[in-house]
Amino acid sequence: MDELRLKLAIQKSGRLTEPSLDLLMRCGLKISRGKDQLMAYGENMPLDVLFVRDDDIPDLVQEDVCDLGLVGLNVLEEKRLELASRGHPARFQQVRTLDFGRCRLSLAVPEGASFEGPRTLQGKRIATTYPYLLEKYLRERDVSAEIVTLSGAVEIAPRLGRADLICDLVSTGSTLQANHLREVETVLESHAVLIRTPLDLPPLKDEWVERLLMRIDGVQQVRESKYIMLHAPRSALTEIRKLLPGSESPTIIPLEGSPDRVAIHAVCRENVFWETLESLKKAGASALLVLPVEKMLA
Ligand code: PRT
Ligand code: ZN
């Protein structure tokens, strides 16, 4: 393996795979990947992508096999606690919060079962695939309960009589609903994160990490951003500027032949809704145009 190429681990096949690849493509990376290949070669950056199970990503960075990894905060924090329990400090550094992979690790009880705060958990059996995060939650609340560690299908544990309640990942909540479970407490809010090795990298690799981070920031900023153009009477400028959502100083351009009207161009860092356009029109704006932003570099 080339020592001067960055190695980034992402999930091989699962919920994070597509958004991770999409992020990398938007950052300009072109990779060639054969079917079922473990590794893809970055054609236009010194960066190769390793496809692995998400649970292995923190370890690969911990053990310096990879320089970078894209993984869920839930997996990362569970690993951090597991390492700590064995007396090993985690060596991965979280360098970016990403805008995908959102979910929460929650406690859920069977429908009809009562729940009056964490004290209700005293002496109960809780099924989970996240024993360390659950143990920390219980310890911080001074509750002692039995943790039943499973490797999957946690949501059916209460029906099988293996546990009284569960602690599992939830996004829409429909899995809980289908299994007649009620979400009662959040243990951890999660999303995907980018992690890196704490090791000093050779200058060329380091430079590419910085470039990648800058591009990720740009990609995440433009997802919500819009470029808005409109014409307005000069007299309405103050009001119109107030209506433009999340925009910094807009560009004001005089209009040939109409001294009392101007064109306004602005980048809005929030979505521009129909309601905003209607308010702008009411304030005197015309010729409104909203465009998606493709790239942004501060
Ligand atoms: O094979 P590998 O080990 O790589 O994959 P995996 O099966 O362990 O992971 P995968 O692909 O299911 O999830 C990868 C990561 O996606 C997780 O670690 C989370 O960070 C994130 N994520 C986001 C989720 C969910 N949303 C999610 N909903 N992971 C799992 N779920 C489960 C949830 O537990 C429930 O059973 O999906 C089911 C449906 O959820 P509802 O609430 O929408 O019904
Ligand atoms: Zn996994």
Side-chain angles (χ1 to χ4, degrees):
M1 244 187 257
D2 189 339
E3 283 310 304
L4 287 174
R5 296 183 65 81
L6 282 169
K7 282 176 272 312
L8 163 70
I10 71 168
Q11 192 184 23
K12 183 176 164 72
S13 130
R15 283 165 204 274
L16 301 181
T17 309
E18 204 203 292
S20 298
L21 285 172
D22 179 66
L23 176 68
L24 295 173
M25 298 309 114
R26 285 176 195 269
C27 287
L29 179 71
K30 288 194 171 66
I31 52 171
S32 52
R33 183 192 179 192
K35 238 184 174 254
D36 292 326
Q37 259 178 354
L38 192 65
M39 201 161 123
Y41 184 82
E43 291 171 358
N44 57 345
M45 289 187 202
L47 184 153
D48 299 329
V49 181
L50 256 79
F51 297 91
V52 295
R53 288 202 50 194
D54 67 343
D55 316 72
D56 296 335
I57 295 172
D59 285 328
L60 289 168
V61 176
Q62 176 82 8
E63 290 155 18
D64 303 321
V65 179
C66 289
D67 310 293
L68 301 165
L70 283 173
V71 67
L73 185 65
N74 50 311
V75 170
L76 192 72
E77 291 306 306
E78 180 73 4
K79 180 52 86 176
R80 196 189 296 281
L81 294 170
E82 187 199 322
L83 285 165
S85 78
R86 290 193 276 119
H88 298 300
R91 293 183 61 254
F92 33 77
Q93 292 175 352
Q94 194 181 314
V95 285
R96 282 299 180 274
T97 291
L98 304 168
D99 57 7
F100 60 87
R102 290 202 172 278
C103 58
R104 53 202 183 273
L105 183 65
S106 286
L107 292 166
V109 300
E111 270 168 17
S114 69
F115 183 84
E116 281 114 36
R119 300 300 314 163
T120 314
L121 304 171
Q122 185 70 32
K124 296 275 162 63
R125 292 169 305 154
I126 314 174
T128 190
T129 48
Y130 294 87
Y132 290 94
L133 281 166
L134 178 57
E135 192 274 331
K136 176 167 177 265
Y137 172 90
L138 295 171
R139 182 164 29 84
E140 285 172 355
R141 283 156 188 81
D142 215 9
V143 170
S144 78
E146 187 191 333
I147 299 173
V148 181
T149 305
L150 302 178
S151 56
V154 170
E155 63 280 2
I156 60 169
R159 252 185 301 154
L160 297 178
R162 297 182 74 182
D164 301 305
L165 67 151
I166 68 165
C167 173
D168 199 11
L169 295 178
V170 183
S171 52
T172 61
S174 56
T175 301
L176 292 185
Q177 211 184 358
N179 287 282
H180 306 287
L181 295 164
R182 179 167 67 96
E183 188 177 356
V184 290
E185 285 262 310
T186 303
V187 173
L188 179 82
E189 290 281 354
S190 187
H191 44 75
V193 294
L194 176 71
I195 55 171
R196 66 157 284 168
T197 165
L199 290 183
D200 282 334
L201 297 171
L204 189 69
K205 276 180 139 184
D206 205 45
E207 186 193 315
W208 272 101
V209 171
E210 287 309 312
R211 287 177 79 170
L212 188 65
L213 291 179
M214 250 194 337
R215 291 183 187 187
I216 288 175
D217 293 341
V219 169
Q220 300 211 111
Q221 255 176 31
V222 302
R223 278 209 232 264
E224 288 274 285
S225 298
K226 295 282 177 281
Y227 193 79
I228 181 164
M229 303 195 276
L230 55 92
H231 289 180
R234 266 185 199 283
S235 56
L237 264 179
T238 325
E239 195 186 345
I240 282 180
R241 285 184 62 164
K242 272 193 229 145
L243 289 170
L244 293 171
S247 76
E248 284 144 37
S249 48
T251 309
I252 318 250
I253 310 155
L255 283 175
E256 190 70 31
S258 3
D260 54 341
R261 288 183 75 79
V262 288
I264 303 176
H265 290 194
V267 173
C268 294
R269 293 186 189 256
E270 294 162 32
N271 229 326
V272 180
F273 296 104
W274 281 112
E275 287 76 6
T276 312
L277 295 185
E278 285 156 8
S279 310
L280 285 164
K281 203 165 159 58
K282 232 182 235 159
S286 60
L288 291 131
L289 202 57
V290 181
L291 306 170
V293 175
E294 194 184 285
K295 290 191 179 68
M296 201 187 271
L297 202 63

